[in-house]
Amino acid sequence: MPSDPRLLRRAAVGVTSVLLATAVGCAPQPEDNAAAAPSGSAGSTCAKSTLATKTSGKLTIATDSPAYEPWFKDDKPANGQGFESAVAYAVAEQLGYAENAVVWQSVPFNKAFAPGEKTFDFDINQVSISDERKKAVDFSSGYYDVRQAVIALKGTKAASATSIADLKGLKLGAQVGTTSLDYVDDVVQPTRAAAVYAKNDQAKSALKNGQVDAIVTDLPTAFYITAAEVTDGTIVGQFENQGGTPEQFGLVLDKGSALTSCVTAAVDALRQNGTLAKIEQQWLSDAVDAPVFK
């Protein structure tokens, strides 16, 4: 008897489905490297039309207020001036967003990487990437390699320090929640507890008023502070990176954000094509080598 064409078609579809399932099951799969990779889902495309931003067609970027130099200029993140403002707009452009599609938001430093859903697509505010912070938020790959530095007033005992041992007996200050404070507590381990401030402005005032012997900030900020804000201050030295890997600033995103992989790809592209280096040269060229504490 002639075979029923409908039965033959069904049988063929069934065999094809089995073969496809087998092929997929046997195909090489990416290795599980969750510790090294961002936790955001990696989509097959980062086209603007596919990005699930907080506001459709807009990219919401956050930073602290005030927005300090040399990271921003004139406390106006939206003007494109300063290292982090320029980086933010370069990332936006890489993702397909024109300047007029970028919306800025003010978010306090500590709140940017605290647990909980974010109101921004990403935050840029000198936030160092760390395993502890990754428990609460996602990070892009690093957009700047940074070191921490010590600032003291010229002519003081603190200004003559050349080693970590010289710093131990000093009253040191730093902003709360920062890597700067971590370096005071974990690297210097001073004999007196560090003075902790909500803002760098408060730390600078404490230095000027003699309430602390020295303060710790990232190196580019230290150069700006001593050049423009505490002109009788001096950069005493900088710390070596701990653990063999450079400290890096990263863009902060919601934990598990669908944007993480695309934002990371944008940062990586800007590093590879030389854009990050050009922006760094333009805005952070004054941050030259300072003596290294041993």
Side-chain angles (χ1 to χ4, degrees):
M1 291 177 64
S3 299
D4 187 337
R6 292 172 296 176
L7 293 176
L8 289 174
R9 282 195 298 270
R10 291 172 186 167
V13 169
V15 171
T16 302
S17 299
V18 172
L19 289 173
L20 285 172
T22 303
V24 171
C26 297
Q29 300 298 311
E31 293 183 6
D32 185 5
N33 192 17
S39 58
S41 58
S44 59
T45 178
C46 291
K48 178 184 172 183
S49 59
T50 69
L51 299 180
T53 55
K54 297 294 182 181
T55 302
S56 179
K58 301 287 185 180
L59 187 67
T60 303
I61 304 176
T63 196
D64 202 354
S65 179
Y68 297 109
E69 298 191 29
W71 311 106
F72 299 91
K73 185 77 171 174
D74 300 327
D75 193 18
K76 295 178 180 177
N79 65 13
Q81 304 292 298
F83 178 76
E84 289 193 328
S85 182
V87 168
Y89 280 112
V91 171
E93 182 179 5
Q94 193 72 27
L95 293 171
Y97 292 87
E99 287 187 21
N100 61 8
V102 173
V103 178
W104 284 90
Q105 220 179 60
S106 177
V107 173
F109 179 81
N110 277 346
K111 191 174 180 181
F113 51 86
E117 185 177 355
K118 307 305 175 193
T119 56
F120 50 78
D121 294 313
F122 69 76
D123 178 277
I124 183 166
N125 189 26
Q126 307 112 65
V127 181
S128 295
I129 301 168
S130 72
D131 290 337
E132 183 64 27
R133 289 170 179 171
K134 284 181 180 179
K135 295 175 182 178
V137 294
D138 277 3
F139 282 96
S140 70
S141 53
Y143 61 87
Y144 180 67
D145 298 351
V146 66
R147 285 192 176 190
Q148 299 299 315
V150 175
I151 305 169
L153 297 182
K154 295 174 182 176
T156 62
K157 178 183 177 181
S160 64
T162 59
S163 67
I164 292 175
D166 292 338
L167 300 173
K168 287 185 179 294
L170 302 178
K171 181 67 173 179
L172 302 175
Q175 184 178 349
V176 66
T178 60
T179 308
S180 304
L181 182 58
D182 291 340
Y183 268 73
V184 174
D185 293 337
D186 302 335
V187 178
V188 178
Q189 298 180 354
T191 56
R192 289 182 284 176
V196 182
Y197 302 97
K199 300 277 188 182
N200 261 335
D201 277 346
Q202 296 170 348
K204 288 179 289 187
S205 295
L207 178 63
K208 289 178 181 179
N209 297 334
Q211 295 168 303
V212 292
D213 299 313
I215 60 174
V216 179
T217 70
D218 59 79
L219 187 57
T221 297
F223 272 95
Y224 178 76
I225 288 174
T226 54
E229 297 181 322
V230 185
T231 53
D232 57 343
T234 183
I235 297 175
V236 182
Q238 63 177 307
F239 295 100
E240 291 182 308
N241 284 315
Q242 304 298 303
T245 56
E247 177 187 349
Q248 291 186 314
F249 292 157
L251 306 177
V252 182
L253 301 94
D254 261 322
K255 185 67 177 174
S257 171
L259 297 176
T260 302
S261 59
C262 290
V263 171
T264 289
V267 172
D268 290 344
L270 294 172
R271 184 177 290 277
Q272 290 164 10
N273 67 21
T275 299
L276 288 182
K278 290 177 183 176
I279 295 174
E280 181 177 336
Q281 178 62 33
Q282 180 179 0
W283 295 106
L284 303 181
S285 58
D286 288 340
V288 296
D289 287 339
V292 178
F293 293 120
K294 298 292 185 182

